[in-house]
Amino acid sequence: MDDISNLINFNELIPGLPSDLGLECLTRLPHSAHRLALRVCTHWRSLLQSDAFFRHRKKTGRTHKVTCLVQAREQQQPHQKPTGCVQPCYGITVFDPEAMAWDRVDPVPDYPFGLPLFCQVASCDGSLVLMGGWDPATYEPLTAVFVYDFRTSEWRRGRDMPEKRSFFAIGSGMGRVYVAGGHDENKNALATAWAYDPRGDEWALLGRMGRERDECEGVVVGGEFWVVSGYGTERQGMFDGSVEVLDLGSGQWRVVEGVWEAGRCPRSCVGIGKDGKVVNWRGLDPGLRVGVCGVRVGSSFVLTGSEYEGAPHGFYLMEMEQGQNRNLRKITVPDGFSGFVQSGCCVEI
């Protein structure tokens, strides 16, 4: 698209400095200062919100990675269901493991009091993509897609998912978000898969997987989208040990057997550890037995979970060094950020 030089050559970014030095100064601004910097002038706003500036920051190593978590919000009124059941409200928490800083993303305008239940998130080119889930008031499955741009700090509505599906696998790579499996509104397990382009706001149908895979988990490994485990319609709850692998370049699927422990649910607890092998974060530590979720952020993993049902929710960091897993380090969480984590992803901003 536009080159970075086209955005800096016609105006001084910083009075008295050559344009290239002004650009380097703005490139070094921490992302936490961008919201204020956008107010300085229209030229700064145009630059900081451009694709070219994001690419320049990435090329010069000035971006950094944060964890976006779909987390139960504390000290909020929970949803009251028609049945009388109480359902916690969820929002997007942002954790920066480098600065050890916690923050929240503004609510989705369509859901100011809590995200759709069991919605899925993935990242793409500095944006957070949220899709699917159930309406928090009616439990109706949704096809809605929302995209949060960290450059503008705003949500926008994307094109709806082509099919209703729940508990599907999701992952991102090569500028696309990939979804596969799950089940439809009639609880039929699915083998279909789609790719979403957030920039063009378009969906493309992919080839079918070889098997139906409900309650599967997605992870991108290099140039491949792995759909881990799941089960067919007639095998409710009988999780498969195989992985369906999509080559993002060729669009071809293949099945790899014996990758996952058969009978174990993979939801939110699949990781890629040393030697590129699939690992199960559940049970890695006594505090990671129930409600486990893991997100890779650069060379680190952010892990959450509890020791037993109803126990306090703990947060851990684990770093990778020369391909080897290091010991877990429990981290202190500020008030209001210790709620249950449903799922999460890494976003480069």
Side-chain angles (χ1 to χ4, degrees), residues 323-349:
Q324 299 298 313
N325 293 342
R326 299 181 64 186
N327 291 334
L328 287 173
R329 174 166 61 95
K330 191 167 186 177
I331 58 179
T332 301
V333 179
D335 291 342
F337 290 94
S338 60
F340 168 75
V341 174
Q342 177 183 288
S343 60
C345 69
C346 171
V347 183
E348 186 173 9
I349 61 176

Side-chain angles (χ1 to χ4, degrees), residues 35-67:
R35 185 172 292 193
L36 182 62
L38 292 173
R39 304 175 188 174
V40 171
C41 63
T42 55
H43 190 45
W44 278 29
R45 174 180 289 271
S46 297
L47 175 67
L48 296 178
Q49 293 183 350
S50 68
D51 291 337
F53 185 69
F54 176 77
R55 291 195 299 268
H56 178 74
R57 280 173 55 85
K58 189 169 183 177
K59 182 179 179 181
T60 56
R62 298 297 176 181
T63 57
H64 72 284
K65 296 177 179 179
V66 299
T67 314

